[in-house]
């Protein structure tokens, strides 16, 4: 999206010079107070893993130590999450993976896999509306009618089949073992189960496992084994996704869905196929940034943001000042307006190429007034703006990252949408998602994340719902001292994921912050509607917030940031892993590098994992 040598547009055409001078002084106000510091990210030379849960990170690390590559480690981590992190880890949901691996014959291979859920064959545009056309409360959020066809079983397998190195059963084994022998309920799991009690209690199947103590979750310290899930994982290890999508687990899903008013069938599961998609790659600040394309909006929103910021000289403005915050808000306002056009790549109203077209980004960046917030009401999407100008053309999730000693790196985000998905637990597969709420289920009405979405994202059989998940890999291939540095990041937080991921990226690539500090720093968010700039406590000094209010922004202090996890490979070959201190998360590195490969039953090389957990220090 960036043309090499692009110069930031001059601001003088947009505001009088006098006003600019006064504003420049106000915009250079001191940065916000320092964030509470986490310990620095651990470092090692054998690889790195970060995920939402310590058991899962340990599974990834074990896989690296057994000679697995980053893909093996990522898949092993994701499968372990499906056992020990039931709020978001899953076999009953979906997600996206981005990989960058050493290519045969030199160079790098970049690929992205879409294993996003799809609408069941029986889905209709009006399935969440009553006879009067009004949304039926919770219909797209609770119970199996809210569930899309799970993409994870076929997705994890396809990712491994194309890019993994260890035998498949070896990659599934840590998850199977955790399900069979059990894992201990920690404070985080206990807390989220307690918080979701009312939703979970609606389904006896769910309550039997997760609310066994007279309607209360298992106490902290309880060991939970999930034998039916262990049997599913054993069968999956033996014969791949068929064991799930064409076997007893699919029949169990169909039966549970029918019992509770859903339309999901075993045939839906059997028909699902993951899709390899072209990653969205942009250049900014001397880095290449690869993101997920449709049906995720993540790569496009991040690419548009970086394109607008670079054009308007964001990096030259003072850190922590109102000028940077204003430009971020204005760029996001425009990027989320364009998001309105997006949906399944088969029905989308715009493509990544159109929205990242340099001429479009020039126009978008030029429309930012440095002295005034634009009201969201006056910002249309690309199609409506073009039409107005007379032109011819007519929002619970978990992220993990893994890196191996050969330079391979993976960013993988997977989700059930809401915490514990639609709240219906099926013993053989785990929680079913409520991803259907990511469609525009009631046109013009905000979804779970307040996102207003367009016709391209209406419900239709087989369609994939638009996502905000943003697995991202950025690398520096310039000539400087950071040449060869690679970062893989992503996160949870619905519509906040792209804005939060891009801020972490900017802290790293523009401001050169240490990895953990870049995650710790309080963040901002704007998503077009509501027309409001959300700031985490500490993100804006009071006088900076006052300047932004004078510019016309409604500033709301709110602690609901996304949670971003990241791994990084430094130019010398050292790895770092860092979890978001907002928790939960566990980051670990491997030391020393594993020796060549070993298969199932191979002796594990000596290793010294350093796991750093964040149990959720901040709410
Ligand atoms: O795909 C999406 O954009 C959402 N279903 C992601 C949900 C999410 O991040 C929930 N986590 N807090």
């Amino acid at each position: 999206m960036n043309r090499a040598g692009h110069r930031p547009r001059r601001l003088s055409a947009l505001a009088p010079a006098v006003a600019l001078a006064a504003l420049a002084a106000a915009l250079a106000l001191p940065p916000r107070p320092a964030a509470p510091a986490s310990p620095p990210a651990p470092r090692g030379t054998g690889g790195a893993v970060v995920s939402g849960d310590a058991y899962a990170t340990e599974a990834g690390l074990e896989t690296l130590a057994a000679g697995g590559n980053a893909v093996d480690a990522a898949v092993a981590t994701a499968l372990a999450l499906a056992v020990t992190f039931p709020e978001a880890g899953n076999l009953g949901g979906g997600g996206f993976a981005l990989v960058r691996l050493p290519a045969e014959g030199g160079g790098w291979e970049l690929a992205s896999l879409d294993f996003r859920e799809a609408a069941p064959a029986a889905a209709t545009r009006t399935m969440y509306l009553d006879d009067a056309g009004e949304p039926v409360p919770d219909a797209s959020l609770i119970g199996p009618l809210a569930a899309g066809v799970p993409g994870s079983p076929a997705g994890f397998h396809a990712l491994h089949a194309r890019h993994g190195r260890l035998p498949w059963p070896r990659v599934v084994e840590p998850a199977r073992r955790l399900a069979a022998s059990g894992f201990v309920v920690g404070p985080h799991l206990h807390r989220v189960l307690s918080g979701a009690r009312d939703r979970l209690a609606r389904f006896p199947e769910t309550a039997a496992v997760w609310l066994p103590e007279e309607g209360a979750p298992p106490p902290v310290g309880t060991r939970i084994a999930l034998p039916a899930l262990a049997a599913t994982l054993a069968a999956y290890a033996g014969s791949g996704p068929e064991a799930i999508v064409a076997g007893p687990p699919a029949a169990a899903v169909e039966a549970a869905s029918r019992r509770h008013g859903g339309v999901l069938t075993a045939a839906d599961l059997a028909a699902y196929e993951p899709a390899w998609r072209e990653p969205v790659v942009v250049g900014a600040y001397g880095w290449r940034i690869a993101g997920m394309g449709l049906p995720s909006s993540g790569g496009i929103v991040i690419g548009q943001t970086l394109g607008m910021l670079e054009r308007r000289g964001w990096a030259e403005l003072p850190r922590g000042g109102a000028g940077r915050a204003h430009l971020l808000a204005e760029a996001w306002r425009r990027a989320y307006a364009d998001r309105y056009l997006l949906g399944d790549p088969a029905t989308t109203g715009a493509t990544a190429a159109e929205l990242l077209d340099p001429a479009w980004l020039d126009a978008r960046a030029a429309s930012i007034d440095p002295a005034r917030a634009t009201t969201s009401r006056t910002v249309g999407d690309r199609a409506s703006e073009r039409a107005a100008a007379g032109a011819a053309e007519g929002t619970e999730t978990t992220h993990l990252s893994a890196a191996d000693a050969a330079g391979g790196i993976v960013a993988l985000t997977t989700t059930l949408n809401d915490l514990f998905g639609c709240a219906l637990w099926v013993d053989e597969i785990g929680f079913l998602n409520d991803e259907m709420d990511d469609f525009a289920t009631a046109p013009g009405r905000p979804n779970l994340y307040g996102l207003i979405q367009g016709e391209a994202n209406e419900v239709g059989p087989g369609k994939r719902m638009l996502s905000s998940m943003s697995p991202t890999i950025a690398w520096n291939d310039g000539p400087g001292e950071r040449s060869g540095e690679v970062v893989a990041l992503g996160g949870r937080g619905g519509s906040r994921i792209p804005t939060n991921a891009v801020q972490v990226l900017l802290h790293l690539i523009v401001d050169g912050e240490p990895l953990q500090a870049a995650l710790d720093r309080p963040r901002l968010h704007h998503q077009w509607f509501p027309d409001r700039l959300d700031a985490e406590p500490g993100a804006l000094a009071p006088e900076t917030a006052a300047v932004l209010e004078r510019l016309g922004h409604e500033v709301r202090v709110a602690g609901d940031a996304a949670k971003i996890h990241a791994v990084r490979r430094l130019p010398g070959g050292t790895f770092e892993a860092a979890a978001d201190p907002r928790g939960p998360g566990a980051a670990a590195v491997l030391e020393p590098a594993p020796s060549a490969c070993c298969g199932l039953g191979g002796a594990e090389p000596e290793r010294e994992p350093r796991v750093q957990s964040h149990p959720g220090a901040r709410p």
Side-chain angles (χ1 to χ4, degrees), residues 447-493:
N447 76 352
L448 182 62
Y449 304 103
L451 289 168
I452 303 205
Q453 318 190 77
E455 275 169 29
N457 192 31
E458 279 178 349
V459 185
K463 272 182 72 178
R464 298 188 188 201
M465 55 298 277
L466 185 61
S467 174
S468 297
M469 290 189 280
S470 307
T472 304
I473 298 178
W475 63 97
N476 185 313
D477 57 2
E481 60 180 23
R482 297 183 73 178
S483 181
E485 188 176 323
V486 192
V487 182
L489 54 76
R492 71 192 287 177

Side-chain angles (χ1 to χ4, degrees), residues 116 396-397 415 417 435 438 449 467-469 492-494 497:
R116 179 71 161 168
E396 256 345 278
T397 305
T415 189
N417 194 30
E435 220 70 57
D438 276 348
Y449 304 103
S467 174
S468 297
M469 290 189 280
R492 71 192 287 177
I497 300 171

Side-chain angles (χ1 to χ4, degrees), residues 217-243:
V220 172
T222 311
R223 179 170 286 274
I224 302 250
L226 300 167
L229 191 53
T232 295
L233 287 164
Y236 187 44
S239 38
E242 294 297 299

Side-chain angles (χ1 to χ4, degrees), residues 338-395:
D338 281 346
R339 188 188 186 280
Y340 186 82
L341 293 171
L342 302 177
D344 185 308
T347 56
T348 184
T351 62
E354 286 171 287
L355 295 184
L356 296 168
D357 173 22
W360 176 238
L361 291 177
D362 285 348
R364 272 303 202 204
S367 75
I368 296 175
D369 182 340
R372 197 76 216 145
T374 314
T375 51
S376 288
R377 251 181 310 105
T378 64
V379 178
D381 54 59
R382 184 180 193 269
S384 60
E385 300 262 317
R386 288 265 164 116
E393 197 179 328
T395 246

Side-chain angles (χ1 to χ4, degrees), residues 333-334 337 373-380 526-532:
R333 188 195 306 281
R334 288 158 177 78
T374 314
T375 51
S376 288
R377 251 181 310 105
T378 64
V379 178
H526 196 299
Q527 61 180 48
W528 184 43
F529 286 106
D531 189 348
R532 186 182 71 203

